[in-house]
Amino acid sequence: MGDAHRIGVVGLGVISRAYLDTLVGHLRVRVTAVADLDASRSAAVAAEVPGVQALTVEELLSSPDVDTVLNLTVPAAHAEIALGAIGHGKHVYGEKPLAAGLADAHAVIEAAAKAGVGVGCAPDTVLGTGVQTARAAVAAGSIGRPQFATAVMVTPGHERWHPHPDFYYTAGGGPLLDMGPYYLASLVHLLGPVRAVTGASSRLRAERVIGSGPRAGERIPVEVDSHVSGVLEHADGTLTTITTSFDGVATNAAPIEVHGAAGTLAVPDPNHFDGEVRLFELGATQWRTLPPSAGYVDGARGIGLLDFITADGRRAPRANGELALHVLETMSALLRSSAEGRRIELATTAEVPALVPLTPADDWKGQEAG
């Protein structure tokens, strides 16, 4: 374990458990420190995981025992923690979005470039067999040249299950900034970067009611639009229509469909690592399910960080800062387009990450025996 890459985790909320399950015990990494504004959370993790120190946030950011900071804070704190880590010469990998605002996201990327450190960002679900198998099918010409795509996410809102959902309805939240990164990162993998957008959005409820936990029944204000729709113009001319909403109950729509002259591809939920990829070819009478042909098998949150760490200059990390910045600008432009009532061209672009070869779970999990 002497050569293991050392990880410090900032933010120990709900999602941290999934990351810790992936990282703790992995041969290539070692979780050395944790920090949270609630010191009891970090103390609990330190007591559970051998060799982990419970530190304050500032202590962790400056710790010589941390190579990469895993930033799992709420969106409003993403940039502050990332810049703090970079300022201490550390790599940073964070939950999505890259920052709550585009200016802060640019600041993170520019600071990292100046410091010579790397920036990675979720989502890494798109590296699983679901999206990657669909991408391989598109690349193989299974639907012919893509003509257009649809992306749909409809839910009644996270306040029904999350005990502290406030940040979903403040700056940096909303259905697009919360769930959009899964869909937009997938669309970049499938169809390439976006060159322009046109958006529309609404906010029909001023309050939400928490449905679970110690605050059940408490009303919280809605400060961001809770329904966002738009059209994405990809660099190659392909169009995607996207809807993200906290205002519906359910939908029968496929999360993503890619339509070509020779067929239609149904892509599974990009918030999951796997799922059925279905193809309906021109002239066929029914859908057929494609076997997994690419991606990390049985993926789990944290594989993007492992991919980030193991890239080692041989290739760009797949869940990288450039892609996260482009996704954030796409979302920001959709919201701005909605507010200003006009089409907006994007200033950023991103390289399409390398396809993930079909990688068995035993190969990427790298767990210690026993």
Side-chain angles (χ1 to χ4, degrees), residues 89-186:
K90 303 187 187 308
H91 307 290
V92 62
Y93 182 97
E95 254 302 322
K96 49 75 190 170
L98 182 59
L102 195 55
D104 283 343
H106 276 290
V108 169
I109 297 298
E110 291 166 6
K114 185 175 181 179
V117 298
V119 175
C121 187
D124 56 6
T125 49
V126 301
L127 305 181
T129 53
V131 171
Q132 294 297 304
T133 294
R135 176 181 165 182
V138 171
S142 297
I143 63 170
R145 185 189 185 281
Q147 305 291 305
F148 68 97
T150 58
V152 180
M153 190 288 299
V154 175
T155 165
H158 296 340
E159 73 277 6
R160 291 171 54 83
W161 59 268
H162 199 294
H164 301 286
D166 309 69
F167 67 94
Y168 290 117
Y169 298 100
T170 59
L176 182 63
L177 288 176
D178 175 48
M179 298 300 292
Y182 300 105
Y183 292 79
L184 289 166
S186 299

Side-chain angles (χ1 to χ4, degrees), residues 1 27 71 134 136 140 172 198 200 231 253 264 270 288 295 308 338 351 355 357 359:
M1 291 294 290
L27 290 172
N71 183 5
T198 304
V231 176
T264 290
R288 66 182 178 93
F308 173 80
S338 172
E351 293 290 330
L355 180 74
T359 306

Side-chain angles (χ1 to χ4, degrees), residues 81 85 165 238 281 298 304:
I81 298 301
T238 308
E281 295 165 292
D298 295 334

Side-chain angles (χ1 to χ4, degrees), residues 268-289:
D269 187 345
N271 190 21
H272 299 299
F273 289 90
D274 52 17
E276 287 191 347
V277 178
R278 297 181 299 126
L279 174 64
F280 200 114
E281 295 165 292
L282 184 66
T285 59
Q286 61 185 0
W287 295 90
R288 66 182 178 93
T289 300

Side-chain angles (χ1 to χ4, degrees), residues 183-359:
Y183 292 79
L184 289 166
S186 299
L187 290 164
V188 171
H189 275 262
L190 291 163
L191 300 173
V194 178
R195 69 184 181 197
V197 304
T198 304
S201 61
S202 63
R203 185 189 324 172
L204 301 182
R205 281 183 277 174
E207 294 181 329
R208 297 282 175 139
V209 180
I210 299 177
S212 65
R215 299 170 61 198
E218 181 181 336
R219 294 181 177 274
I220 59 174
V222 176
E223 299 174 3
V224 295
D225 285 348
S226 50
H227 180 101
V228 184
S229 295
V231 176
L232 316 176
E233 301 174 31
H234 293 270
D236 68 352
T238 308
L239 299 180
T240 294
T241 57
I242 184 169
T243 296
T244 62
S245 184
F246 285 164
D247 290 338
V249 174
T251 178
N252 276 324
I256 297 174
E257 287 184 339
V258 184
H259 301 271
T264 290
L265 198 67
V267 184
D269 187 345
N271 190 21
H272 299 299
F273 289 90
D274 52 17
E276 287 191 347
V277 178
R278 297 181 299 126
L279 174 64
F280 200 114
E281 295 165 292
L282 184 66
T285 59
Q286 61 185 0
W287 295 90
R288 66 182 178 93
T289 300
L290 302 182
S293 62
Y296 291 110
V297 177
D298 295 334
R301 278 173 169 79
I303 60 169
L305 175 56
L306 295 173
D307 184 278
F308 173 80
I309 290 166
T310 57
D312 288 337
R314 295 169 298 176
R315 57 165 173 80
R318 294 180 173 92
N320 60 70
E322 177 193 53
L323 176 57
L325 177 64
H326 182 62
V327 165
L328 180 59
E329 191 198 8
T330 302
M331 296 187 295
S332 299
L334 279 168
L335 295 173
R336 183 177 155 207
S337 172
S338 172
E340 298 178 5
R342 65 183 183 90
R343 174 180 177 271
I344 292 180
E345 295 187 357
L346 273 62
T348 67
T349 188
E351 293 290 330
V352 178
L355 180 74
V356 180
L358 191 64
T359 306

